[in-house]
Amino acid sequence: MSKQQQISPMKNFFAGGFGGVCLVFAGHPLDTIKVRLQTQPKPKPGESLLYAGTIDCLKKTFAKEGLKGFYKGMAAPIIGVTPMFAVCFFGFGMGKKLQQKTPDDILTYPQLFAAGMLSGVFTTAIMAPGERIKCLLQIQASTGEVKYAGPMDCVKQLYREFGIRGIYKGTALTLMRDVPASGMYFTSYEWLKNVLTPAGKSHNELSVPSVLFAGGMAGIFNWAVAIPADVLKSRFQTAPEGKYPNGFRDVLRELIREEGIGSLYKGFNAVMLRAFPANAVSVLHLTSKNHAGLHAAKGRRIQ
């Protein structure tokens, strides 16, 4: 415990940021596939879906746009990842301190879940606009209309047309996704570390494969909770202005009515294929510092 407390905040900040950048590079291609699957329109009678599934979307994206097509919109999460990690750690740390009588108190799993949820609240201010810009840039090539030249152009156009509300469109849905998912991530990560730590040993003595496994699986647990709200968020953030006047309720009604309950899990395969390796990559460089877990914490959502 003392070693962790001696790590400087600045080193923590940049180490976490580097982990996030690794995660974005590793996970963004499949995130692009996920968003395109989530936002593709229902086909008209007699027509087929634009993308039949994850593999079909991969093939069509590569054929039409090449390798760079998988990295559309990546600048937004790259720019936001370091401050977002810092805010995440701050929120999680505050959530723990609020529940501890002394710094050495060991939190229960429900308490870790509550602390994780608080970190999700804190990160939304950065996540919501980043997700809005990212999703718009990811889908524009597949729709055939290239409206934005890049992330800054996207911000300028949104602000000019709709003001600050246009940039923060989808904030409520980002909260609905990130708050419970953050709780699940931190709780499952701690649980897996406890399970994998041999009797009489500490978490700091876990092997690299064990840390990677715990981080990767925690990412999968996180997305199992997050994906329905993520589908609603992607739809809402990329919809034309005014299409859903009542917010996520209108998106939910439309999806259930036209495509059934299964539509809330669109992009599931792409999400799960990405969740494990992306979270594993984000902790890989930190395992030697004995505090890998915390820095992995936002891997499931920066995408």
Side-chain angles (χ1 to χ4, degrees), residues 23-176:
L23 183 144
V24 172
F25 274 107
H28 198 80
L30 280 167
D31 184 74
T32 297
I33 300 305
K34 176 207 75 168
V35 172
R36 290 186 175 185
L37 290 170
Q38 288 176 340
T39 58
Q40 67 174 332
K42 184 182 178 183
K44 296 175 183 176
E47 294 182 355
S48 57
L49 279 167
L50 179 61
Y51 305 116
T54 302
I55 301 301
D56 187 48
C57 187
L58 278 165
K59 289 178 180 176
K60 289 179 177 175
T61 298
F62 184 73
K64 186 177 178 182
E65 303 166 59
L67 195 61
K68 67 178 182 180
F70 297 110
Y71 288 93
K72 294 284 175 70
M74 190 175 70
I78 286 287
I79 291 167
V81 67
T82 301
M84 190 275 294
F85 266 61
V87 171
C88 169
F89 305 152
F90 176 77
F92 183 60
M94 177 178 285
K96 290 198 297 183
K97 285 180 181 178
L98 288 172
Q99 300 177 88
Q100 289 175 316
K101 293 179 180 178
T102 70
D104 295 325
D105 283 354
I106 297 174
L107 297 182
T108 64
Y109 291 127
Q111 287 174 321
L112 285 168
F113 192 89
M117 287 197 297
L118 187 62
S119 80
V121 173
F122 274 75
T123 56
T124 297
I126 299 171
M127 286 299 300
E131 286 280 300
R132 168 86 153 133
I133 295 159
K134 175 185 71 72
C135 289
L136 287 172
L137 292 173
Q138 283 176 319
I139 70 156
Q140 66 173 355
S142 64
T143 62
E145 178 192 353
V146 179
K147 183 179 179 182
Y148 308 110
M152 292 310 298
D153 183 52
C154 185
V155 171
K156 288 175 184 175
Q157 288 196 46
L158 288 173
Y159 185 76
R160 187 167 58 245
E161 292 180 49
F162 312 112
I164 195 71
R165 289 181 65 183
I167 297 172
Y168 275 86
K169 181 179 179 181
T171 297
L173 279 164
T174 305
L175 272 170
M176 288 172 61

Side-chain angles (χ1 to χ4, degrees), residues 231-232 235 251-260 263:
V231 172
L232 296 175
R235 281 290 184 107
V251 188
L252 181 61
R253 286 192 199 104
E254 180 187 80
L255 277 172
I256 299 299
R257 183 179 66 248
E258 296 185 2
E259 302 177 51
S263 62

Side-chain angles (χ1 to χ4, degrees), residues 2 18 34 67 79 106 113 125 178 191-192 204 216 231 268 290:
S2 59
F18 181 73
K34 176 207 75 168
L67 195 61
I79 291 167
I106 297 174
F113 192 89
D178 289 359
W191 171 69
L192 285 163
N204 291 346
V231 172
F268 182 84
N290 294 325

